Amino acid sequence: QVQLVESGGGLVQAGGSLRLSCAISGRFVSINTMGWYRQAPGKQRELVADITSGGNTNYADSVKGRFTISRDNAKNAVYLQMNSLKPEDTAVYYCNAFLRTSIRTSYTQYWGQGTQVTVSS
C-alpha cells in the first residue's frame, strides 16, 4: 500500500517562510511527476507546483519567484520551500505523485492527507 505523508505546515506571519516535505512509502517500482496542490476554503483544489522525474518544474503564476519545488529521488521525497508568504497562500496543501506499483501497471495518481498552512496578516 502506498502512502504519501506531508509535514511542515503551520502558522506563519506574512513575509515568513515554511518548508513542506512529503515522503512516499510502500510498494512501488517508479515515480513520475510529483507535485503540490492546495485548496482554500470555498475554492477548488489548484496546482501549486510540480516536478518531473527529470527535474523539470512548473509553477502556478501566483507563486512564481516565491516558492521552490524540489525532489530527492533516493529518499522518494518532494519538498516545497515557500518564501514571502502571503495571507492568500492560506490553504490545505496536498502532496501528489504519479507512480507505478508494478511494471505491468500504468502510472496512477496518489494523494497525501494534506497539511494546513495559515498565513496571518
Side-chain angles (χ1 to χ4, degrees):
Q1 186 174 355
V2 175
Q3 282 191 314
L4 281 67
V5 180
E6 301 105 333
S7 61
L11 173 64
V12 64
Q13 288 189 329
S17 298
L18 283 174
R19 178 178 168 87
L20 303 183
S21 299
C22 174
I24 303 175
S25 63
R27 299 187 64 178
F28 53 89
V29 297
S30 65
I31 304 172
N32 198 342
T33 300
M34 305 172 76
W36 291 93
Y37 287 69
R38 67 186 181 187
Q39 187 167 18
K43 295 188 176 181
Q44 289 189 328
R45 190 173 297 190
E46 63 175 1
L47 174 68
V48 176
D50 59 23
I51 182 167
T52 67
S53 56
N56 293 318
T57 58
N58 174 49
Y59 294 92
D61 288 342
S62 58
V63 307
K64 283 180 181 177
R66 300 188 298 122
F67 291 10
T68 302
I69 189 170
S70 61
R71 64 190 283 171
D72 186 333
N73 292 327
K75 295 182 178 180
N76 298 321
V78 62
Y79 310 96
L80 186 68
Q81 178 66 44
M82 305 185 293
N83 299 328
S84 302
L85 282 160
K86 304 175 181 180
E88 51 263 44
D89 294 318
T90 295
V92 177
Y93 283 70
Y94 296 90
C95 175
N96 168 275
F98 286 86
L99 55 87
R100 289 195 299 176
T101 55
S102 80
I103 60 173
R104 297 181 185 85
T105 62
S106 59
Y107 283 97
T108 303
Q109 191 174 42
Y110 288 81
W111 295 91
Q113 80 286 355
T115 185
Q116 177 70 46
V117 171
T118 303
V119 184
S120 63
S121 57

